[in-house]
């Protein structure tokens, strides 16, 4: 079973980073790929985008927001302990095109999504692209991967909702500024983060006719295209996020449907986080 080699609390009680010994996944993983984890035998399977790999060391890095029961269980694991299942790499890798100067790719990350965006931005950098990272968080204490992105991105622009770091406002403000100043030099925007943010980025870039890729965080079960849990509508067609994505053309995603589907299991997620189980919504029993 994959062992946790390093664990770092990035935002105490909220967000942690794990470096996991997973040589086969590390060897095959490319930007955009994700893994599906299971922490205990009765636990759900949940997807996390790979934030980084070290192929020489045989490790992958994941970053998670402690949100529900499964991420709470993951958060309880310590360095040296093993995770029951880490399955991957899954999904389609990011399609990375080499753009000649003066073209610049904008990689947008919001909140926890900044960590997942990091791997994609690195892929663009490795391909020789000029990368502008636009990252946003509610405040400076919630800002992730600023140092890591600064190591290779050509520019790292920061916004915070409260103005405690960088520009006061939301991350789309940064993107709008660069689209205005760079004109036709932006051939692609990539966005990873909360769904409202990805939708806002896509709506913004539509006005500039700039192709935009978003990485969708649908609910998943098998991660192999068989259960249908992760289905989304893109350009009027049903797609499975796990095998057709997770990245799609942001201008063609039905975000309203995605938001509805993501909210479908809120009751069960809340009860699970409270260590309870739902029976047809009217008969809640303790399970442990
Ligand atoms: P958050 O709600 O604190 O938002 C972070 C930043 O995103 C904000 O500071 C703002 O700059 C920007 N933002 C948010 N809403 C926006 C909007 N409507 N318009 C423009 N910009 C907006 O972020 P969080 O609490 O860290 O987000 C967690 C969510 O992100 C979870 O729902 C999680 O599932 C999702 N997530 C998605 C991915 C993915 O692969 N798409 C990866 C990690 C996390
Ligand atoms: Fe089952 Fe995608 S998670 S089809």
């Amino acid at each position: 079973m994959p062992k946790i080699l390093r664990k770092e609390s990035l935002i105490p009680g909220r967000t942690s980073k794990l470096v996991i010994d997973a040589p086969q996944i590390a060897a095959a993983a490319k930007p955009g790929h994700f893994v599906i984890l299971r922490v205990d035998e009765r636990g759900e399977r949940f997807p996390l985008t790979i934030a980084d790999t070290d192929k020489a060391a045989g490790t992958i890095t994941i970053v998670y927001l402690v949100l529900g029961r499964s991420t709470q269980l993951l958060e309880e694991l310590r360095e040296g302990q093993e995770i029951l299942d880490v399955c991957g790499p899954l999904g389609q890798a990011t399609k990375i095109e080499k753009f000649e100067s003066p073209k610049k790719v904008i990689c947008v990350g919001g909140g926890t999504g900044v960590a997942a965006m990091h791997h994609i931005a690195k892929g663009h950098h490795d391909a020789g692209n000029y990368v502008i990272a636009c990252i946003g968080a509610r405040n400076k204490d919630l800002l992730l991967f600023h140092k890591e992105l600064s190591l290779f991105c050509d520019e790292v622009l920061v916004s915070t909702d409260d103005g405690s770091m960088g520009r006061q406002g939301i991350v789309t403000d940064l993107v709008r500024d660069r689209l205005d100043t760079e004109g036709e030099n932006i051939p692609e925007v990539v966005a990873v983060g909360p769904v409202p943010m990805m939708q806002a980025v896509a709506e913004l870039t539509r006005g500039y006719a700039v192709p935009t890729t978003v990485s969708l965080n649908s609910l998943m079960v098998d991660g192999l295209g068989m259960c249908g849990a992760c289905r989304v509508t893109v350009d009027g067609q049903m797609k499975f996020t796990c095998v057709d994505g997770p990245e799609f053309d942001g201008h063609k995603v039905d975000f309203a449907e995605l938001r509805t589907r993501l909210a479908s299991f809120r009751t069960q997620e809340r009860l699970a986080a409270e260590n309870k189980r739902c029976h047809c919504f009217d008969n809640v029993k303790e399970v442990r």
Side-chain angles (χ1 to χ4, degrees):
M1 293 191 294
K3 186 187 275 189
I4 299 170
L5 300 180
R6 283 196 303 285
K7 177 172 182 175
E8 188 183 337
S9 175
L10 301 180
I11 306 168
R14 180 183 159 91
T15 307
S16 293
K17 175 173 114 176
L18 301 181
V19 177
I20 300 167
D21 182 33
Q24 289 178 318
I25 299 176
K30 294 186 176 146
H33 280 144
F34 65 94
V35 288
I36 285 194
L37 293 86
R38 199 164 56 118
V39 181
D40 72 9
E41 286 184 356
R42 297 168 61 192
E44 66 174 343
R45 294 158 57 81
F46 60 100
L48 289 174
T49 307
I50 297 171
D52 205 359
T53 60
D54 183 333
K55 293 185 192 304
T59 62
I60 61 167
T61 299
I62 55 169
V63 172
Y64 55 92
L65 179 67
V66 182
L67 198 60
R69 177 75 181 144
S70 299
T71 44
Q72 282 171 9
L73 288 172
L74 186 62
E75 181 66 358
E76 286 169 17
L77 297 179
R78 298 283 162 250
E79 278 183 8
Q81 288 188 287
E82 292 171 333
I83 301 171
L84 183 65
D85 293 329
V86 180
C87 175
L90 297 169
Q92 302 293 325
T94 308
K95 293 184 185 72
I96 295 178
E97 194 181 327
K98 167 78 173 87
F99 299 107
E100 299 301 334
S101 177
K103 303 283 187 201
K104 302 171 182 178
V105 176
I106 297 182
C107 293
V108 192
T112 322
V114 175
M117 179 275 271
H118 168 266
H119 203 199
I120 298 169
K122 211 173 188 180
H124 276 285
H125 167 76
D126 291 347
N129 288 330
Y130 187 104
V131 179
I132 303 173
C134 294
I135 56 176
R138 278 177 247 166
N139 63 55
K140 67 174 170 44
D141 298 328
L142 298 179
L143 190 72
L144 299 179
F145 273 54
H146 180 250
K147 193 178 68 185
E148 288 85 344
L149 287 163
S150 302
L151 291 175
F152 63 83
C153 289
D154 298 280
E155 297 175 55
V156 180
L157 311 176
V158 174
S159 71
T160 49
D161 299 15
D162 68 354
S164 52
M165 186 171 169
R167 175 184 169 144
Q168 180 169 14
I170 52 179
V171 74
T172 38
D173 297 335
L174 300 172
V175 181
R176 184 182 296 104
D177 278 357
R178 292 317 297 253
L179 290 171
D180 283 340
T181 54
E182 294 289 346
E184 294 182 352
N185 285 344
I186 307 295
E188 186 180 1
V189 171
V190 183
V192 190
V195 173
M197 184 215 86
M198 294 190 286
Q199 182 172 8
V201 171
E203 281 167 9
L204 173 69
T205 57
R206 192 193 305 277
Y208 293 80
V210 174
T212 298
T213 303
V214 293
S215 176
L216 303 185
N217 53 331
S218 309
L219 299 172
M220 292 190 191
V221 180
D222 67 317
L224 299 170
M226 291 187 285
C227 70
C230 66
R231 67 183 182 275
V232 288
T233 302
V234 182
D235 203 17
Q237 295 187 323
M238 187 174 70
K239 298 283 179 189
F240 290 164
T241 306
C242 64
V243 290
D244 300 317
E247 295 176 10
F248 294 101
D249 180 341
H251 296 156
K252 295 181 176 167
V253 170
D254 184 339
F255 282 105
E257 180 195 58
L258 175 64
R259 289 165 85 149
T260 304
R261 287 185 60 76
L262 283 172
S264 304
F265 297 100
R266 286 271 157 79
T267 304
Q268 289 88 337
E269 285 167 2
R270 181 178 54 76
L271 292 170
E274 292 168 4
N275 219 4
K276 296 171 182 167
R277 188 170 61 190
C278 177
H279 293 277
C280 302
F281 301 99
D282 61 359
N283 184 18
V284 180
K285 291 180 180 165
E286 293 288 337
V287 290
R288 291 188 188 189

